[in-house]
Amino acid sequence: MQPSTASAKRLIVVDPYAAGGTWYKGNLHVASVRGVGKDLPAAIGAWYAAHGYAFLGISDMNTYTWASEYGDSSHPAIPMVDATYPFAELLAVGMDHWQPASDLQGAVDWIARDGGLPVLAAPGSTARPQNLAAVLAVHGLFGLEIYDARVENSNPGQGDATAMWDRLLSAGNRVFAFAGDDATSLNDPALGRAWIEVLAPASDIASLLSSLREGAFVASTGAEFTRLNVAGTTITADASPGASLRFIGRGGQQLKTVAGSAGSYQIRGHEGYVRVEATAANGAKAWSQPFFISWR
């Protein structure tokens, strides 16, 4: 009998946080007077800088607001455009221009083709409600705004799109989670309610955008992760004291709950992906990006 030359498949876990770095808090969804907002970019930039944000992206409707108007070397401004159409709203991350599109796929395509990150924004908004089947049919979507503070404030329950996110992930789409204020003024109750934290080697624009492309960030409404890592096939998460954890897999299935702020999950291989959700004592949440799982 000839010995088998077939090699056994290995379980592979993609860790978006493997490169390490420092956590930098920022917001990528806020409007200025250059779009539908009420305040000057400089005033908005000053507010976020004064409230502990390391970076900001002002996303005006179909308009590029110059980064020099609200950012500098100590508080970087991420180039952004809020690409808004009758059928959808997308955050064009890393973009300094806008282009027309006739459908969602066309909008995603031009942003990706020009080097940006297309993020479907406010999917639960009543202004442009998103049909799940239509979103599932789109190719190349980079991110989904799983929490929009303005939508949530106006219509409680509609600002949370984690169910759509799990459907996209379960269908095999590699889509990353974003959260943002979507505020239109410095008096907006949504201001400072949702953000992302990027794990990057430095806070300059190039480093932040590079880490975003790798999925090395989390979305938050106030809870905080202090560690996310993979050792072999074990995912470990630490959150701020008082928080609890949930490990979630394909189909939005709850794989494990942890009453404390530190816990781990041993991957078995059937999960498709594992994401971690932290909930603070006051109900605030934080969402890790998916740890994608495959056999090779």
Side-chain angles (χ1 to χ4, degrees):
M1 179 181 294
Q2 294 293 324
S4 173
T5 58
S7 58
K9 289 186 176 181
R10 292 192 307 120
L11 184 60
I12 304 297
V13 184
V14 178
D15 180 5
Y17 307 104
T22 300
W23 291 103
Y24 296 102
K25 179 180 178 180
N27 180 59
L28 298 178
H29 200 176
V30 60
S32 81
V33 72
R34 303 282 183 260
V36 299
K38 299 178 180 178
D39 298 293
L40 289 170
I44 296 169
W47 187 93
Y48 280 98
H51 286 80
Y53 289 73
F55 66 92
L56 177 65
I58 290 182
S59 45
D60 281 320
M61 183 186 294
N62 301 343
T63 301
Y64 172 61
T65 297
W66 288 95
S68 58
E69 289 195 71
Y70 62 94
D72 55 36
S73 58
S74 63
H75 190 248
I78 302 294
M80 294 283 302
V81 173
D82 188 325
T84 304
Y85 307 92
F87 51 81
E89 176 185 0
L90 291 108
L91 299 178
V93 183
M95 286 284 92
D96 62 0
H97 60 278
W98 174 86
Q99 289 186 19
S102 59
D103 55 26
L104 181 56
Q105 186 65 67
V108 167
D109 286 347
W110 82 255
I111 296 170
R113 182 181 63 245
D114 288 4
L117 306 177
V119 178
L120 183 61
S125 171
T126 55
R128 299 172 191 84
Q130 294 301 306
N131 177 273
L132 177 60
V135 179
L136 283 168
V138 170
H139 303 286
L141 184 67
F142 179 82
L144 179 73
E145 191 173 46
I146 65 164
Y147 191 90
D148 182 298
R150 180 188 58 78
V151 173
E152 183 65 22
N153 185 69
S154 301
N155 298 288
Q158 299 302 305
D160 186 325
T162 50
M164 177 180 283
W165 186 33
D166 278 316
R167 289 293 299 274
L168 289 167
L169 294 173
S170 299
N173 298 283
R174 297 205 168 199
V175 177
F176 297 104
F178 286 74
D181 290 339
D182 196 6
T184 57
S185 82
L186 295 177
N187 295 315
D188 193 321
L191 194 72
R193 295 275 302 279
W195 56 86
I196 60 172
E197 293 193 25
V198 181
L199 186 63
S203 63
D204 60 277
I205 294 172
S207 295
L208 292 170
L209 284 174
S210 177
S211 289
L212 281 171
R213 290 183 185 280
E214 295 300 318
F217 62 102
V218 301
S220 178
T221 64
E224 184 180 37
F225 287 109
T226 56
R227 181 172 67 127
L228 289 161
N229 79 302
V230 176
T233 56
T234 300
I235 298 172
T236 299
D238 293 338
S240 297
S244 59
L245 302 173
R246 291 201 305 153
F247 293 82
I248 296 167
R250 181 188 284 124
Q253 179 186 3
Q254 186 166 279
L255 302 169
K256 183 178 181 180
T257 61
V258 179
S261 60
S264 61
Y265 176 76
Q266 178 65 49
I267 295 167
R268 294 168 174 79
H270 65 277
E271 297 89 349
Y273 65 90
V274 176
R275 63 178 182 85
V276 192
E277 188 174 290
T279 303
N282 64 358
K285 292 184 179 294
W287 299 268
S288 80
Q289 301 306 335
F291 295 83
F292 293 107
I293 298 162
S294 62
W295 289 92
R296 296 179 191 169

